[in-house]
Amino acid sequence: MFDVTLWAGLRPLADNQKVVRVQARTIWELLRKLEERYPGLAGPIKGEVAVSVNGVIYRNDWSQKLPEGAEIMLMRRLAGG
Amino acid sequence: MSSIAVSTTINDDDVEFLCQPNETLLDVLRNRLGLMGAKEGCGTGDCGACSTIMDGRVVCSCLVLGAEAQGRTIETIEGMAKGSELHPLQRKFIEHAALQCGICTPGFLMAAKALLEVNPDPTESQIRFWLAGNLCRCTGYDKIVRAVQDAAAELRGDTP
Amino acid sequence: MSFDAAYQSKPFNSVGTRPLRPDGVDKVTGRARYGADFNMPGQLVARVLRSAHAHAKIKSIDTSRAEAVKGVKAVVTATDLPDLTDGDPALFAVLDNCIAREKVMYDGHAVAAVAAIDENAAKAALQLIEVDYEILPHVIDVDAATLPDAPVLNEAIFTQGVEPTPTTPSNVANRSEFGHGDVKVGFAQADFVVERSYKTEQTHQGYIEPHACVASCNPDGTAELWVCTQGHFVYRQICADLLGLEASKLRVTSSEIGGGFGGKTHVWAEPVALALSRKANRPVKLIMSREEVFRASGPTSATSIDVKIGAKQDGTITAAEATLRYTSGPYADMWAELGAMTSFACYDLMNVKTVGLEVVVNRPKVAAYRAPSAPMAAFAVESTIDELAQKIGMDSVDFRIKNAASEGTQSSYGPVYGPIGIGPTLEAAKAHPHMSAALGENQGRGMACGFWFNFGGQTCTDLNISADGTVTIAVGTVDVGGSRASLSLIAAEELGISYDCIKAVIADTSMLGYNDMTDGSRGTFSTSMATISAARNAIKVMRQRVAMMWEIPLEDVYWEDGHAHAAGTKHGNRAPLSVKDIAAEAANTGGPIAGHSELVADGAGVSFATHICDIEVDPETGSSRVARYTVIQDAGKAVHPSYVEGQYQGGAAQGIGWALNEEYIYGEDGRLQNPGFLDYRIPVCSDLPMIDTQILEIPNPNHPYGVRGVGETSIVPPLAAIANAVSNAVGVRMAHIPVSPPRILAALNDAKD
C-alpha cells in the first residue's frame, strides 16, 4: 500500500486530493488502478506523467517494481534540450 | 538573367562553370561544383562557415560573387588534405576534440591554414583574433585554439 | 526490463580513454553530410512566405498569381495541411506554428510556401502571393502581457491551475505551484531577508546550421525525409500525424547535425516541405535562411522573476519563495513550470514555495534550449543567495555548502534525493586554485550552482559482428557532439576488444525500433545502456556458439578479456577463442552473430555543477571581458573525457553569451530587429579565455558504468555566476540579463547618484 502524491495539476482530476492510497506491485499496476479510480487521469497518464520512486524519476519504464515503503510522486514529464 | 562563363583554379584544378550574375561563390561551389564542404550558416558574412581561401586570403565565399572567381586561385576544404594525408591542422583538430558537431570545422580549418601561412608562430591572442570571424556554438573555442597551437608547433618543427 | 542497469564498480580498459572519434575524418575534410548537403533527382526548391506583422487576422490568401509563375510546381497554405490533430493542443500548436491557419501570431509566422524549379522562380512567386491581413494590437513583453488591458492573444485561454477558473480570457495560460512547509512561518524566523525582482531577455540556441530538409512524398502513401534533427523518430511521428501518413511508411534519415541544443527537437518547416512535395509529386528541398531561423524557430522564454529568501544569523536558510513568469510564444506550454521546479533544487529547505506562470506573447514559439528554463531561475535564485550571503557576512561558497541538498533531502520540486553531487562540486570549487587567485583591477569574481534533470528513454541498438570479427553498432540516438566515439568505447569495454574494431553508425527510422530524441542529456547515458545490453546479448550468442564448437555445456563457457574460456579443467586445455575466431565460424554455427537491445533507459538521476568566473569591467564604457572561467561538474563516469570537457566548455560559452550580450530586440511594431549573427552577438573566439574544467565522478547507481547525463547542466550556472561577478566588480546588483554594456553603464551611473 502506497501514499501517492499527485502534482498540483492532477488534483482536480482526483477529487482534489493531494495524496491517494494505492496498492500495487509495479508502476504499471499503480497507474492502471489510479485510472480505474479516477478516469479523468487517463489523458495525463498517457502523455504527461513521470513517476518518482524514492527520488528516481521514471519517464518510461513502468515495469519497475515498487519497493516496500517507497515514496511515490506523480510528476510532469519534462522537456530537455 | 543570362549566365556568365567563368574560368578559375580550384584546389589546383582548372575549373569552368556558368553562373548567374547574382550567384555567390558559395552557391557555385555547393550547387554547381559539388563542393559542399563550405557551409551556409548565415549568408551575410557573419559566421565564417563558408570560409575559403582566394588568392591566399581568407574570404567568406557568401560575400564573393561567382563571377569574381574569374582568373583567381581558390582553395576549399576539399583540397586541404594531400591525397590520403591529412594536413596537420586537420589531424590536430581530431586529436584535440576541437570539433563537436563539426559544421563550423571546414571554415575554421581554412581560416587557421591562412593564419599559419602568414604567421607560423602566433600567440594565443593572435589566434583568437584571427579566428574571431568564425563562429562556433558547440566548443567554446578552447580546444580549437589548442589544436591550432599544436599544429603550428608541428609545422614549425617544434614538437619532439 | 530484464536488463539489470545497476552500477557495478570495476576497473576500465577502454572507458575513460581519449581515442580519435570515428566520424572525425569526414568532418575535417568536408565530406560529412549535413541537412543541406543532400539532393534528390528532380528536386524542387522551397521558399516560405512569412508574416511581417506581430499579430493579425488572415482575412484571405490569394495564391493564383504565384501558381501561374513559370517553374512553380506547388503553392501551399494551411488548407493543404488539414487539421488531423484530434483535439491534441500540443500537436495543434505545432501545426499552427508550421503554417498559420486563422491568425499570424508573430513577426515571421509562416503563411504560405512555394516549391519551384529554382530559387528565382520561387522568390518571384512568393512576391505574388496576396495576403489580406487585419492587423491586431500586439504584446511582446512578459509583464505587459499580464496586465488587464493587454491585447488577448487567444480568447480560448482561461488561466488553468487557479481556483476558481477565471471567466475572462487572459494571456496567462497556466499557474503551477511547488514546494513544502510554510514560507510565512519560515520568513518570520529569519534574521535577514533579501527580496528582489529579475528579468532575462529572450535568446536563441544559435546553432550554426539552419534547419534544412529534403522531403519526398509518393502518391502511394510512402515518403522519405532527409533532415537535420535531434530526433528522427520523433520527427517521423509528428510529420506522419500532421500529414495523415502511416509512420512506418515515412522513412526519416537524420543527417549529421550542425548543432541543435534543443532547437531541433521540434519540427518547424518539415511538414510544409512534405505538403509541398505531396502536392507537386516531386522531392522538395527546404532550407531556412538565418533570418528565418531567428524569426521563426524556437528561442527560449523571456522571463520576469521575483525571489525572496530568508536566513538566520548562522546562515541557515529558513524560507525561500519565487514567482516565475515565462513567455512561451503564442501557444501555452510548460516552461514556467519547469523553471518553478528547478529554482531551489540545489538546496535543503524546510519551507519553500515556487509559483510558475505561463505567459503567451506575440513572439515565436518557444523551444527547448539546453536545460530549458533552468538558467533563468538559477540566475534569479543564485543572485539572491549571493546578496543574502553578503548581508549576513558569510562567504558565498560556505553559505551554499551550509544549505546544500544531499542524499535524503526533500527536493523543492517534490521527491527525495538519492546520492547527488552538489556538495562535492561546491567543495571542489572552494579548493580550486581559481578561488584563491588574485583579482586584477576592475575585476569581480562570481560563482553559482546549477542543477538539471537527466533523461533515459526508449533506446534501440543493433550490434552486428562481421565474419572478420569487427563490430558495427547501429543506434537510433542522433550524435550531436561525438557520442559515436563514446559508444564505441562502451562496446569495446563490454566485449573486451579494441576500440579500433568497432564502427558506430546512426540508423534511419526504417532500421531500428523507436528511439527517443537526443535531449535531456540522454544521448550517451541511454545509448550506452542499450549498447551494453546489446553487447551482453551478443556475448551470450557467442558463448552458445563456442559451447557447440567445443561440444560442452553452455554454463561451462565464460567470457573474459574479449575471449570465450572453458571453465575449470574437466574440458582439457582449451585455448580461449576471440571474437574473430568465433565470428569466422559463424556461418556454420548458426549464422551471423548479433546482439540487439530494445529497452527503456530510466532512472537517469540528476546532475549538479558549480561555476566560478572572473569578469573585468571597463568603468568608462561598461564593456566587459571574461578574464577566467572554471566549470566543475559531476559526470558520474566520463566515458570519453575530451567530449565531456567539450560539453562543459560549450555549455559555459553559451551561458556566457546569454549572460553578457545575447537578446532578442523588438521594435514598437513588434518586429524582431536583430535576426542575424551581426546584431545577435554570440561569443566569438576573441571574447573568451581558455575554459578550465574539472570532472567529478560520483557514480550513478542506475547505470552499469555509473554514467550520468552531462550535456545540459553546464548552461545553468553561467548567468548567475557572471551576474554575481559583474555585481561584485561594479558594486551594484545586476538584475537584468544580459548584463550588456548599456546596462552596466546605467547601473554605474545610478550608483554615482
Side-chain angles (χ1 to χ4, degrees):
Chain A
M1 192 55 96
F2 296 100
D3 286 328
V4 180
T5 307
L6 306 179
W7 97 71
L10 289 184
R11 292 170 204 168
L13 301 167
D15 293 343
N16 285 317
Q17 295 176 88
K18 180 176 171 179
V19 180
V20 178
R21 302 213 93 202
V22 184
Q23 169 86 288
R25 285 155 300 181
T26 63
I27 295 180
W28 180 272
E29 197 185 335
L30 185 101
L31 293 174
R32 181 182 52 78
K33 287 194 169 161
L34 278 171
E35 250 185 77
E36 276 168 14
R37 211 185 298 177
Y38 308 106
L41 289 177
I45 282 176
K46 190 164 153 67
E48 294 170 35
V49 157
V51 182
S52 167
V53 180
N54 284 333
V56 179
I57 301 174
Y58 293 95
R59 286 170 101 223
N60 292 107
D61 189 5
W62 294 348
S63 67
Q64 288 291 321
K65 292 199 176 56
L66 299 173
E68 187 85 33
E71 174 214 56
I72 302 183
M73 313 186 110
L74 295 199
M75 300 171 49
R76 269 265 231 164
R77 295 184 97 220
L78 310 166
Chain B
M1 275 191 271
S2 55
S3 296
I4 300 175
V6 179
S7 303
T8 185
T9 309
I10 301 183
N11 299 330
D12 292 329
D13 293 327
D14 294 330
V15 174
E16 284 185 354
F17 57 83
L18 288 173
C19 70
Q20 301 270 286
N22 65 346
E23 252 179 87
T24 65
L25 175 59
L26 180 63
D27 292 333
V28 168
L29 289 171
R30 290 182 57 82
N31 301 333
R32 293 190 185 268
L33 301 178
L35 295 169
M36 301 184 99
K39 308 295 179 195
E40 176 161 332
C42 69
T44 51
D46 300 313
C47 75
C50 65
S51 297
T52 52
I53 299 175
M54 192 162 81
D55 288 348
R57 212 179 127 212
V58 187
V59 295
C60 283
S61 57
C62 72
L63 293 181
V64 176
L65 293 174
E68 288 184 80
Q70 174 65 38
R72 300 204 192 251
T73 305
I74 298 185
E75 296 169 61
T76 71
I77 186 69
E78 287 86 352
M80 194 166 178
K82 291 301 163 219
S84 61
E85 214 182 288
L86 294 177
H87 187 284
L89 277 166
Q90 290 172 305
R91 270 191 287 108
K92 292 302 176 186
F93 263 59
I94 302 176
E95 279 168 38
H96 283 266
L99 57 140
Q100 287 179 33
C101 81
I103 192 89
C104 70
T105 304
F108 267 98
L109 287 168
M110 289 281 97
K113 179 170 187 276
L115 165 64
L116 297 184
E117 276 161 13
V118 301
N119 182 355
D121 193 2
T123 63
E124 179 185 333
S125 184
Q126 285 170 332
I127 294 173
R128 287 187 177 279
F129 277 89
W130 183 279
L131 294 177
N134 291 80
L135 299 183
C136 173
R137 197 54 161 167
C138 292
T139 68
Y141 306 104
D142 182 299
K143 293 178 189 295
I144 291 176
V145 174
R146 292 182 200 276
V148 174
Q149 288 171 325
D150 198 8
E154 183 180 307
L155 285 164
R156 288 192 308 268
D158 285 358
T159 41
Chain C
M1 281 264 79
S2 55
F3 176 70
D4 178 13
Y7 171 63
Q8 287 161 330
S9 175
K10 58 179 237 149
F12 291 111
N13 296 310
S14 297
V15 165
T17 61
R18 299 176 188 247
L20 304 183
R21 62 194 279 174
D23 55 320
V25 175
D26 280 348
K27 291 191 166 154
V28 299
T29 56
R31 275 203 287 267
R33 299 171 80 189
Y34 294 83
D37 298 334
F38 183 74
N39 293 305
M40 288 182 76
Q43 81 184 12
L44 304 171
V45 165
R47 275 257 168 278
V48 179
L49 181 68
R50 296 183 180 279
S51 164
H53 306 292
H55 194 195
K57 272 205 190 97
I58 300 173
K59 286 162 67 184
S60 67
I61 306 181
D62 184 351
T63 60
S64 52
R65 290 171 67 210
E67 287 168 53
V69 169
K70 197 159 192 273
V72 168
K73 302 302 178 187
V75 179
V76 299
T77 63
T79 40
D80 297 287
L81 276 166
D83 182 0
L84 304 172
T85 63
D86 200 23
D88 178 342
L91 195 55
F92 183 81
V94 173
L95 175 65
D96 193 61
N97 193 52
C98 285
I99 197 157
R101 305 185 81 75
E102 287 171 20
K103 287 208 296 180
V104 291
M105 304 299 289
Y106 56 91
D107 166 41
H109 198 167
V111 295
V114 164
I117 55 169
D118 61 31
E119 286 255 353
N120 289 333
K123 278 187 197 161
L126 224 57
Q127 306 207 345
L128 295 174
I129 299 177
E130 290 164 26
V131 187
D132 190 10
Y133 291 109
E134 179 193 320
I135 297 180
L136 301 169
H138 62 271
V139 63
I140 297 290
D141 178 73
V142 59
D143 289 321
T146 62
L147 297 176
D149 58 349
V152 170
L153 266 68
N154 186 340
E155 302 282 333
I157 290 182
F158 298 88
T159 313
Q160 300 287 297
V162 172
E163 287 295 321
T165 308
T167 48
T168 30
S170 79
N171 294 321
V172 180
N174 193 54
R175 179 189 187 283
S176 55
E177 186 175 323
F178 298 89
H180 53 263
D182 185 334
V183 290
K184 269 209 186 74
V185 167
F187 283 122
Q189 295 165 347
D191 297 316
F192 299 93
V193 173
V194 171
E195 189 172 1
R196 196 177 279 280
S197 294
Y198 303 86
K199 262 190 113 129
T200 72
E201 297 298 334
Q202 192 153 46
T203 59
H204 193 279
Q205 298 81 348
Y207 31 85
I208 306 300
E209 177 200 32
H211 303 271
C213 69
V214 180
S216 179
C217 274
N218 300 313
D220 64 356
T222 61
E224 283 184 63
L225 181 68
W226 165 278
V227 61
C228 55
T229 170
Q230 290 172 245
H232 42 321
F233 289 85
V234 171
Y235 273 38
R236 178 183 70 165
Q237 193 58 59
I238 296 188
C239 287
D241 287 345
L242 293 182
L243 269 88
L245 299 170
E246 280 180 47
S248 60
K249 297 216 171 110
L250 169 58
R251 181 175 186 174
V252 183
T253 305
S254 68
S255 66
E256 297 291 343
I257 180 174
F261 316 112
K264 292 177 181 164
T265 59
H266 310 258
V267 304
W268 301 104
E270 291 76 12
V272 172
L274 283 161
L276 281 168
S277 175
R278 178 168 62 184
K279 200 164 183 184
N281 195 16
R282 282 172 70 164
V284 170
K285 185 169 188 173
L286 194 161
I287 305 176
M288 284 171 89
S289 69
R290 177 51 53 185
E291 189 188 307
E292 288 180 283
V293 172
F294 277 113
R295 287 169 76 209
S297 74
T300 59
S301 304
T303 74
S304 164
I305 304 175
D306 313 316
V307 178
K308 182 177 175 187
I309 308 181
K312 295 216 278 262
Q313 177 70 66
D314 71 353
T316 314
I317 296 176
T318 58
E321 188 173 5
T323 304
L324 306 98
R325 292 166 292 277
Y326 279 53
T327 63
S328 57
Y331 315 101
D333 214 315
M334 59 174 287
W335 307 112
E337 189 166 341
L338 260 181
M341 288 175 80
T342 63
S343 301
F344 294 109
C346 294
Y347 299 104
D348 181 356
L349 303 168
M350 285 283 297
N351 305 298
V352 58
K353 177 178 170 186
T354 58
V355 172
L357 297 166
E358 316 291 339
V359 181
V360 296
V361 291
N362 293 113
R363 291 187 183 220
K365 181 172 188 274
V366 167
Y369 179 11
R370 207 165 191 166
S373 300
M376 309 79 135
F379 159 63
V381 168
E382 290 294 290
S383 296
T384 312
I385 291 276
D386 239 41
E387 200 175 341
L388 188 51
Q390 282 166 7
K391 212 166 173 179
I392 297 174
M394 237 177 127
D395 170 76
S396 304
V397 185
D398 287 335
F399 183 56
R400 288 172 173 82
I401 289 175
K402 188 169 176 64
N403 292 286
S406 58
E407 184 165 4
T409 299
Q410 183 177 17
S411 69
S412 52
Y413 58 92
V416 169
Y417 285 123
I420 54 176
I422 174 96
T425 64
L426 284 167
E427 297 289 352
K430 197 169 166 186
H432 198 282
H434 185 166
M435 260 321 186
S436 44
L439 278 171
E441 207 186 325
N442 292 323
Q443 288 186 356
R445 180 164 297 148
M447 56 78 58
C449 321
F451 156 93
W452 186 246
F453 312 94
N454 297 314
F455 299 168
Q458 300 185 68
T459 319
C460 298
T461 302
D462 274 357
L463 191 150
N464 286 288
I465 303 179
S466 308
D468 64 358
T470 60
V471 174
T472 313
I473 324 171
V475 303
T477 316
V478 174
D479 180 353
V480 298
S483 55
R484 272 165 288 189
S486 306
L487 296 176
S488 302
L489 283 169
I490 298 268
E493 186 72 51
E494 195 64 34
L495 290 170
I497 62 176
S498 160
Y499 171 86
D500 296 323
C501 296
I502 302 181
K503 173 82 177 176
V505 298
I506 312 298
D508 70 43
T509 58
S510 66
M511 298 174 187
L512 286 178
Y514 187 89
N515 276 265
D516 276 319
M517 49 201 179
T518 303
D519 71 336
S521 309
R522 68 173 290 268
T524 302
F525 170 80
S526 311
T527 318
S528 65
M529 208 188 289
T531 301
I532 292 168
S533 174
R536 290 182 183 171
N537 292 336
I539 288 171
K540 191 155 177 220
V541 172
M542 286 193 283
R543 285 175 54 233
Q544 284 166 345
R545 303 300 176 90
V546 170
M548 191 199 124
M549 285 154 67
W550 285 343
E551 296 165 50
I552 65 177
L554 174 62
E555 56 267 21
D556 288 347
V557 180
Y558 67 92
W559 190 267
E560 196 177 88
D561 289 333
H563 289 75
H565 301 255
T569 49
K570 61 181 173 203
H571 302 299
N573 261 341
R574 298 222 179 232
L577 293 177
S578 68
V579 172
K580 194 169 172 188
D581 296 329
I582 302 166
E585 303 296 327
N588 297 319
T589 58
I593 299 173
H596 304 282
S597 172
E598 290 84 33
L599 57 70
V600 170
D602 229 331
V606 297
S607 168
F608 288 93
T610 297
H611 291 199
I612 313 165
C613 70
D614 296 345
I615 306 281
E616 185 177 295
V617 176
D618 180 336
E620 275 188 64
T621 63
S623 99
S624 58
R625 181 178 76 86
V626 183
R628 187 168 176 177
Y629 203 98
T630 303
V631 176
I632 301 165
Q633 184 175 333
D634 174 17
K637 177 67 198 167
V639 178
H640 192 314
S642 303
Y643 291 100
V644 173
E645 289 161 0
Q647 290 300 314
Y648 291 5
Q649 292 167 335
Q654 286 182 313
I656 290 168
W658 192 337
L660 287 176
N661 215 68
E662 294 174 40
E663 66 179 290
Y664 267 39
I665 299 173
Y666 281 87
E668 289 286 304
D669 56 1
R671 300 204 69 191
L672 182 60
Q673 298 194 332
N674 61 337
F677 279 130
L678 185 63
D679 296 315
Y680 182 89
R681 175 73 158 65
I682 73 176
V684 305
C685 199
S686 50
D687 291 328
L688 300 175
M690 296 296 187
I691 301 174
D692 287 327
T693 59
Q694 187 178 346
I695 303 175
L696 301 184
E697 290 183 322
I698 298 156
N700 176 0
N702 296 314
H703 184 285
Y705 295 174
V707 171
R708 291 182 192 271
V710 298
E712 292 168 292
T713 305
S714 53
I715 202 177
V716 182
L719 274 60
I722 287 175
N724 286 338
V726 174
S727 302
N728 289 332
V730 306
V732 178
R733 174 54 49 183
M734 305 304 295
H736 193 162
I737 289 280
V739 189
S740 52
R743 293 205 176 98
I744 294 180
L745 260 187
L748 284 170
N749 290 334
D750 281 348
K752 284 202 196 109
D753 304 331

